[in-house]
Amino acid sequence: VPDDRETLTAALETALRRAHVVVTTGGLGPTSDDITRKILASVLKRQLILREDLLAALTERYRRLGRNPPPTLQSQALIPFGADLIDNALGSAPGLRLRVDQERVLYALPGVPHEMERMAERFVLPDIAGIAPARRLRERILRTVGVPENRLEEIVAPLAPREVGLAYLPHLGRVDLRFTAEGREEEADALLEETVGRARSALGSCVYAEGSEELEEAVGRLLLGRGWQLAVSESLTGGAVGSRVVAVPGASRYFLGDIVAYDNAAKIAVLGVPAAWIRDHGAVSAPVAEAMAHGARERFGADVAVSTTGIAGPDGGTTEKPVGLVYLGIAWPGGRVALRHQFPGQRAQVIERSVTGALDLVRRAVSGHPIPSSP
Amino acid sequence: VPDDRETLTAALETALRRAHVVVTTGGLGPTSDDITRKILASVLKRQLILREDLLAALTERYRRLGRNPPPTLQSQALIPFGADLIDNALGSAPGLRLRVDQERVLYALPGVPHEMERMAERFVLPDIAGIAPARRLRERILRTVGVPENRLEEIVAPLAPREVGLAYLPHLGRVDLRFTAEGREEEADALLEETVGRARSALGSCVYAEGSEELEEAVGRLLLGRGWQLAVSESLTGGAVGSRVVAVPGASRYFLGDIVAYDNAAKIAVLGVPAAWIRDHGAVSAPVAEAMAHGARERFGADVAVSTTGIAGPDGGTTEKPVGLVYLGIAWPGGRVALRHQFPGQRAQVIERSVTGALDLVRRAVSGHPIPSSP
C-alpha cells in the first residue's frame, strides 16, 4: 500500500471488515510521508492526542545519541486516542496497539525490518496468542545440514504417522524439517515427541539443532562445551564464515580470528601456504585448502581451524575447475583434511553454501562426528 | 497459505476473481507437500501433462551434479496443460506461466527465495510490464550514506516540486531517496531529471549511487577506476566488511585480503598493533583502529586499508566505552585517521552500521572526498 491517504484508508477499511486482527507496517517515522497515525485516527474516528511522555522520551533518545531532535519530532508523538504504545528497543518510533472494538484489534508497527520483526516477535505474536482460540497447531523443527531434501524425505516420511504434518523447508545446503500436529495440546505434543525422536535417530549426525538455533550458534555452543578456540581462513567466502561466527553474542569466548587471503600472494605471505603447492595444484585445490586451515591454526594458536577456497563465479571457471568448485579444509587435533564440493547456483549461493559447509565441518570436528568424504 | 488442498483452492479462486495478474510462490518442489501444480490444474480445469522434455532436463541436472535423480522427480514434470515454463537458473523446479483467459495471467514461482526473486526480476516483472497500461509511475532513486533521514528531508524536500513524490527509505546507516512522478513518460522523466539533479548538487558527497548500485559495488567501481588495491582488518565485524566486498563479481581485481583479529593477542601478533597501545588505550580506541588499518595496508601491500574495532554487545560495554562505541580506521596514500562512532541498536545493527561506515570511508578515500571528523 503506497503512502497515499485514499489508498491507505481503503486498505484499512477492507482489512478491518475481513479480519479480527490487523497489522500494519511502516509510516510511523518523522518525515512527511509518514501518515499511518493520521489515517488510523481518521478510519477509527479517534482524535490524535499529543503524548507528552512519548515526546519527552523521543527527545531524550536523540540527546543520548548526541544529536539534536528534528523539528518534526512532535509528529511522532501524536497518537490516536486510546492506543497503547509498543516499546521499540531498536529505533525511535514506538508501535501502536489499538483495540478497535470487543472483537477486533489493530497493531501498527514501524517499517524498518529489524524493528518491526523484534516488535512482532516480542509483543504482537504473544499478544495474539493470548486472544486466539485454544485449539492450536503444535510444531517442532529439526534442522539438518548437508543432506538433500529428497533424501531426507526417504528417511523421514516412512517414520511419521498420518496425523503428523511434515514439511521440508530448504535453505542453501540446509533443510529444516517441520513436524506439525493439531488437536489437544498434550496429545499433539506426545505424538510430536515420539515422531521427532524417531526422526532424530534415523537422521543421525546431519541434525545440528532443534527449534530455532542457527548453525553458527550450535557451533559456538559445541566449541564452548569442549573449551576449544576457533580460527578461520577464507578465500572465495571473503570473511563470510568469520562474520557468521561473530553474529553470535559472546563469540569472543571461542573465536580468535580469520585471515582472508583473497590474493594468491597473500595466501603465501600471510598464511604460509607453500608457493609450490599453488603453482602445482592451483589455489583451488585440496592441498591448498589443507595448508590454509593449518596456517590459520598455527598463526592464531587455535585448536581447530577451517578454510575455504573455490571459484564463486561468474568468471574464473574452466573445464577442469568450473564455477562452483570449492575445497573446504579443516585442521584439528584429530588431523587435517580437505573436502571437494561442486556447488550449484550463482556467486551468492556458492558463497553461502561454502559458509554452511565450513561451519558444518567445524561442528563435526568439535563433536567428534565423522568427517564425510568429498560428496 | 498452508500446503493444504482446500485452503489453497479457495485462495486461488479468490485471487483470480479479484486480480488480472496472480503470482504464487512455493509448492513446486519434489516432495509430497508440493501440491501447487495439482491445485492449479484443478482450479483452472486443466489436465496435468507429463512434459518429457522437462523430465529429461531435470534428470540431466541431477547427473551433472553427480547425484541420482530422486524417484519423485517425475511429479515435478507434471504440468497443467497450456502452461509455459519459466527457466530456473538457480534450482530444479521451473516456474509456470498460465494464461487463464484473455484478461488474466497466473505465474507460479518456486518458494526458495533466491530462485523466486531471480525469476520475478528476470521474467515476471518484465512480462507484466508488457501487458500493463501505458500510464506508469516513473521513479528515480538516490542512495545516500551517513546522513540521518530527517536531515535529508530538510535538504531535499524544499527542492522537489509538488508533482514529484518523495519517499525516504531508511536502512542501517544509509537512506535511499525515491523520487516519483506520474503521467506522460517523457514529461515525468524530464521533471525527475531536473529534481534529482538539484538534489544531487545539494546533497554532495553523501550520495554514493543512483538506482540499484550497492555501496560495495560503488566502492569496487571507484577502486578499479583509480587502480587501487584494498585490504581490510576487522575486529567487531568479524569478516563482514570483507564478505561484503567479495559479494561483488570481479572483486579479485581490487581486493587483496582481510585480517580478522578478534582476539587482542591476534591484533598484536598477526596485525602488528603495538601491545602498549592496547594496554594504554584499550583495543577499542582510535590509535588501535589506525594501527589496524596501517597493519593491514603493510601486510597485504595495499593502497588503501580500512579497519573496525568496537563493542557490538550485548555484553562488554562499560560507562566509558558503552555498547555501540566503534572506531573505524583508514590508511591510504593521503594519511591515516580513525573516526569515533556511537551506533544505536543491538549487536547485528551495530555490526551492520560499522560495515556501512567502513565501506563509506573507503569510498571517500578513493574518490578524494573529505573524510568527515567523528560525528
Side-chain angles (χ1 to χ4, degrees):
Chain A
V1 182
D3 295 322
D4 167 81
R5 168 173 286 271
E6 219 171 301
T7 323
L8 190 48
T9 302
L12 277 171
E13 284 171 348
T14 307
L16 286 165
R17 209 160 40 234
R18 290 178 51 190
H20 292 102
V21 177
V22 174
V23 183
T24 72
T25 64
L28 301 180
T31 52
S32 54
D33 59 347
D34 291 309
I35 57 170
T36 299
R37 275 178 302 262
K38 261 192 215 162
I39 305 294
L40 277 177
S42 129
V43 167
L44 300 177
K45 303 190 172 47
R46 312 253 178 124
Q47 300 219 274
L48 280 172
I49 308 287
L50 179 65
R51 288 275 300 250
E52 300 279 3
D53 55 335
L54 176 57
L55 184 59
L58 291 170
T59 308
E60 171 56 26
R61 186 168 185 279
Y62 274 90
R63 295 261 151 78
R64 221 171 43 234
L65 294 171
R67 301 194 200 141
N68 283 327
T72 51
L73 194 66
Q74 184 163 305
S75 71
Q76 280 195 287
L78 284 169
I79 302 296
F81 180 76
D84 304 319
L85 301 182
I86 309 174
D87 183 48
N88 185 347
L90 306 177
S92 65
L96 304 177
R97 177 187 193 275
L98 279 147
R99 212 77 253 175
V100 179
D101 52 31
Q102 289 288 5
E103 296 214 305
R104 291 176 301 169
V105 60
L106 184 147
Y107 305 89
L109 307 186
V112 182
H114 68 275
E115 297 179 16
M116 177 278 286
E117 284 165 14
R118 191 182 151 96
M119 226 178 256
E121 278 167 18
R122 301 281 173 100
F123 183 85
V124 178
L125 296 179
D127 202 54
I128 293 174
I131 56 179
R135 187 179 176 85
R136 297 223 201 106
L137 194 69
R138 306 290 291 176
E139 81 169 24
R140 293 274 291 270
I141 304 255
L142 282 187
R143 315 197 81 177
T144 73
V145 55
V147 178
E149 193 180 347
N150 57 289
R151 176 74 191 118
L152 291 172
E153 181 171 38
E154 286 169 16
I155 300 171
V156 175
L159 303 174
R162 281 182 56 121
E163 308 85 61
V164 172
L166 189 45
Y168 304 85
L169 312 170
H171 308 276
L172 292 168
R174 302 183 295 110
V175 178
D176 292 340
L177 302 178
R178 187 176 57 200
F179 301 81
T180 46
E182 260 184 301
R184 288 198 35 235
E185 213 164 281
E186 312 79 60
E187 282 166 30
D189 284 348
L191 190 62
L192 287 179
E193 176 66 28
E194 202 200 315
T195 310
V196 167
R198 265 188 276 155
R200 278 198 90 120
S201 310
L203 290 166
S205 66
C206 73
V207 177
Y208 66 86
E210 196 177 329
S212 62
E213 191 181 44
E214 300 289 351
L215 182 53
E216 55 271 28
E217 292 173 320
V219 166
R221 168 173 53 77
L222 292 164
L223 284 164
L224 272 181
R226 192 128 186 199
W228 279 12
Q229 301 277 315
L230 171 69
V232 179
S233 65
E234 311 186 46
S235 184
L236 86 153
T237 46
V241 176
S243 73
R244 280 274 284 279
V245 171
V246 307
V248 181
S252 58
R253 286 177 294 169
Y254 51 81
F255 180 55
L256 296 174
D258 184 356
I259 292 174
V260 178
Y262 211 60
D263 184 59
N264 282 347
K267 289 186 182 73
I268 299 163
V270 188
L271 267 176
V273 175
W277 294 12
I278 295 184
R279 192 189 59 222
D280 298 345
H281 307 283
V284 178
S285 65
V288 169
E290 272 190 41
M292 287 175 65
H294 177 70
R297 188 165 179 255
E298 296 277 302
R299 265 156 190 68
F300 288 104
D303 300 290
V304 57
V306 71
S307 71
T308 67
T309 180
I311 299 157
D315 302 319
T318 62
T319 321
E320 270 182 24
K321 299 194 172 181
V323 168
L325 177 67
V326 173
Y327 288 89
L328 303 175
I330 182 124
W332 80 113
R336 52 171 137 149
V337 69
L339 300 192
R340 183 184 181 283
H341 289 271
Q342 181 62 51
F343 289 130
Q346 294 200 306
R347 186 175 183 86
Q349 288 78 46
V350 170
I351 290 175
E352 172 71 13
R353 285 180 191 273
S354 303
V355 171
T356 298
L359 291 172
D360 188 39
L361 267 186
V362 176
R363 181 183 72 93
R364 290 182 169 277
V366 179
S367 13
H369 289 317
I371 306 281
S373 51
S374 294
Chain B
V1 182
D3 295 322
D4 167 80
R5 169 174 283 272
E6 220 170 301
T7 323
L8 189 48
T9 302
L12 277 171
E13 284 172 348
T14 307
L16 286 165
R17 209 161 40 233
R18 291 178 50 190
H20 292 103
V21 177
V22 174
V23 183
T24 71
T25 64
L28 301 179
T31 54
S32 53
D33 59 346
D34 291 309
I35 57 170
T36 299
R37 276 178 302 262
K38 262 191 213 163
I39 305 294
L40 277 178
S42 130
V43 167
L44 300 177
K45 301 192 175 47
R46 313 254 177 125
Q47 300 218 276
L48 280 172
I49 309 287
L50 179 65
R51 288 276 299 250
E52 301 278 3
D53 56 334
L54 176 57
L55 184 58
L58 292 171
T59 308
E60 172 56 25
R61 185 168 188 278
Y62 274 90
R63 296 258 151 79
R64 220 171 44 235
L65 294 171
R67 301 194 200 142
N68 284 326
T72 50
L73 193 66
Q74 185 163 304
S75 71
Q76 279 196 287
L78 284 169
I79 302 295
F81 180 76
D84 304 320
L85 301 182
I86 308 174
D87 183 47
N88 185 346
L90 305 178
S92 64
L96 304 177
R97 177 187 193 276
L98 278 147
R99 237 343 341 151
V100 179
D101 52 32
Q102 289 289 3
E103 297 214 303
R104 291 176 302 169
V105 60
L106 183 146
Y107 305 89
L109 307 185
V112 182
H114 68 275
E115 298 179 15
M116 177 278 286
E117 284 165 15
R118 191 181 152 95
M119 226 178 255
E121 277 167 18
R122 300 282 172 99
F123 184 84
V124 178
L125 295 179
D127 202 54
I128 293 174
I131 55 180
R135 186 181 177 83
R136 297 223 203 107
L137 194 68
R138 306 289 293 175
E139 80 168 26
R140 293 273 292 270
I141 305 255
L142 282 188
R143 315 196 80 178
T144 73
V145 56
V147 178
E149 191 179 348
N150 56 289
R151 175 75 191 117
L152 292 171
E153 182 172 36
E154 287 170 15
I155 300 171
V156 175
L159 304 174
R162 279 181 58 122
E163 309 84 58
V164 172
L166 189 44
Y168 304 85
L169 313 170
H171 307 276
L172 292 167
R174 301 184 295 111
V175 178
D176 292 341
L177 301 179
R178 188 176 57 199
F179 301 82
T180 47
E182 261 184 301
R184 286 198 37 236
E185 214 164 280
E186 312 78 63
E187 282 167 30
D189 284 347
L191 190 61
L192 286 178
E193 176 67 28
E194 202 199 315
T195 310
V196 168
R198 264 188 278 154
R200 278 197 90 121
S201 312
L203 289 166
S205 66
C206 74
V207 175
Y208 65 86
E210 196 177 330
S212 63
E213 191 181 44
E214 300 289 351
L215 182 53
E216 54 271 27
E217 292 173 320
V219 166
R221 167 172 55 76
L222 293 163
L223 284 164
L224 273 179
R226 192 127 187 201
W228 279 12
Q229 301 278 313
L230 171 69
V232 179
S233 65
E234 309 186 48
S235 184
L236 86 153
T237 47
V241 176
S243 73
R244 280 274 284 279
V245 171
V246 308
V248 181
S252 58
R253 286 177 293 168
Y254 51 80
F255 180 55
L256 297 174
D258 184 358
I259 292 174
V260 178
Y262 211 61
D263 184 59
N264 281 347
K267 290 186 181 75
I268 299 162
V270 187
L271 267 176
V273 175
W277 294 12
I278 295 184
R279 192 190 58 222
D280 297 345
H281 307 283
V284 178
S285 64
V288 169
E290 272 190 42
M292 287 175 65
H294 177 70
R297 187 164 179 254
E298 295 278 300
R299 265 156 191 68
F300 288 104
D303 300 290
V304 58
V306 71
S307 71
T308 67
T309 180
I311 299 159
D315 302 319
T318 62
T319 320
E320 270 182 24
K321 299 195 173 181
V323 168
L325 176 68
V326 172
Y327 288 89
L328 304 175
I330 182 121
W332 80 115
R336 52 172 136 150
V337 69
L339 300 193
R340 183 184 182 284
H341 289 272
Q342 181 62 50
F343 289 131
Q346 293 200 306
R347 185 176 183 86
Q349 287 78 45
V350 170
I351 290 175
E352 172 73 13
R353 285 180 191 272
S354 302
V355 171
T356 298
L359 291 171
D360 188 40
L361 267 186
V362 177
R363 180 183 73 92
R364 290 182 170 276
V366 180
S367 14
H369 289 317
I371 306 281
S373 51
S374 294

